[in-house]
Amino acid sequence: MGRKTDQRDAIRNVFRRAQRPLTANEVLDRAAESVPGLGIATVYRNIKRLHEDGWLIPVDLPGEPSRFELADREHHHHFRCDDCGKVYDIPGCHAPDDHAPAGFQVTRHEVWLFGMCPECAA
Amino acid sequence: MGRKTDQRDAIRNVFRRAQRPLTANEVLDRAAESVPGLGIATVYRNIKRLHEDGWLIPVDLPGEPSRFELADREHHHHFRCDDCGKVYDIPGCHAPDDHAPAGFQVTRHEVWLFGMCPECAA
DNA sequence: CTACTTGCAAATGGTTTGCAGGCGC
DNA sequence: GCGCCTGCAAACCATTTGCAAGTAG
């Protein structure tokens, strides 16, 4: 997985501490606290590598920058609140892979739910 | 819905003829055939307006430019071939909205299937 | 010492916007 | 004629890359 550097350690720790998917800029802000001078390019390069190594998985939403979260978790989906914009993890999977027309081989799927979160609904 | 212009007509006709979601550039290429000199900014402006008017719906997937398709169709999902990159419409809906934890009010969902399309599987 | 890493700045690619001229109504 | 539309170019924003200097092993 390459060399051990302060930057990479800091970036990995940020993800380990995170309770939700993070954007590159959020990672930069948090990691820069322990590694002053950290550059955004380094964050992107490390995120890319950690993703390639299977340590991170991308969480993308239309019109927003990519977010990433730890890969070592159960398969799950995401919920985005239309009101506050927060992204929540939704445990479990209720979208079987086998509903494509004949001939299509489905190997993976993504499900996003949108609506109002408990906080905003109150 | 605003004035009638050659540009807007051409752009709408492109979508009416399309068999799959299109990117802004794909729309530009096709619409420019009937309206030489058409600019990409005009395409974006019209797509934005047609979307706001509910005539188009966005079809987004990670790391790729937004695509759009006609809104007046049954709810359906999309399949993206990992091999050739083409995006297919998948009729029907097999992802019920009611699988979020208590407190979450789900009003909308998006489902993407990934894998191999019939052509590439052959 | 050598190769991998980093920071900076410039480049990229999709999308948006400012502006002056054009055209639908 | 008024105000919406358009084309062009410049601006934006997230992300990537070139490059020279730094550092892990």
Side-chain angles (χ1 to χ4, degrees):
Chain A
M1 195 184 273
R3 277 179 197 165
K4 169 172 160 25
T5 66
D6 291 346
Q7 289 85 344
R8 190 162 300 162
D9 281 351
I11 289 167
R12 293 215 282 187
N13 281 331
V14 165
F15 279 112
R16 278 192 269 255
R17 278 190 238 109
Q19 298 296 313
R20 59 183 183 80
L22 300 175
T23 63
N25 267 304
E26 289 172 330
V27 175
L28 175 64
D29 290 344
R30 300 180 185 200
E33 289 173 19
S34 47
V35 183
L38 177 64
I40 187 66
T42 298
V43 173
Y44 275 110
R45 277 190 279 240
N46 277 289
I47 285 178
K48 188 177 188 179
R49 171 163 319 214
L50 291 169
H51 176 211
E52 287 166 358
D53 291 344
W55 198 80
L56 287 178
I57 54 172
V59 176
D60 288 280
L61 288 155
E64 296 190 33
S66 291
R67 297 155 205 260
F68 292 84
E69 65 183 1
L70 291 188
D72 64 348
R73 327 173 51 186
E74 274 192 19
H75 172 70
H76 62 280
H77 301 311
H78 296 94
F79 177 99
R80 164 117 186 295
C81 179
D82 289 332
D83 202 52
C84 66
K86 278 210 201 79
V87 173
Y88 298 81
D89 287 345
I90 299 297
C93 174
H94 308 280
D97 280 352
D98 55 359
H99 285 302
F104 288 87
Q105 298 171 8
V106 179
T107 59
R108 193 165 58 81
H109 69 249
E110 287 276 338
V111 176
W112 291 301
L113 303 181
F114 301 89
M116 195 90 83
C117 75
E119 282 178 40
C120 292
Chain B
M1 195 185 274
R3 275 178 199 166
K4 170 173 163 18
T5 66
D6 290 347
Q7 289 85 344
R8 187 162 302 163
D9 281 351
I11 289 168
R12 294 215 281 187
N13 281 330
V14 165
F15 280 112
R16 278 192 268 255
R17 279 190 237 106
Q19 297 297 312
R20 59 184 184 80
L22 301 175
T23 64
N25 267 304
E26 289 172 329
V27 174
L28 175 64
D29 290 344
R30 300 181 185 200
E33 288 173 21
S34 47
V35 183
L38 178 63
I40 187 66
T42 298
V43 173
Y44 277 109
R45 278 190 279 239
N46 277 290
I47 285 179
K48 188 176 187 180
R49 170 164 317 217
L50 291 169
H51 175 212
E52 287 166 357
D53 291 343
W55 199 79
L56 288 177
I57 54 174
V59 177
D60 288 278
L61 71 165
E64 296 191 33
S66 292
R67 295 156 205 258
F68 292 82
E69 66 183 0
L70 291 189
D72 64 349
R73 327 171 52 186
E74 272 193 21
H75 173 69
H76 62 281
H77 301 312
H78 297 93
F79 177 99
R80 162 115 188 294
C81 179
D82 288 332
D83 203 51
C84 66
K86 278 209 201 80
V87 172
Y88 297 81
D89 286 346
I90 300 296
C93 174
H94 308 279
D97 280 354
D98 55 0
H99 285 302
F104 287 87
Q105 296 173 8
V106 179
T107 58
R108 190 166 59 84
H109 68 248
E110 286 275 338
V111 176
W112 275 95
L113 302 180
F114 300 89
M116 197 89 84
C117 73
E119 280 179 42
C120 292

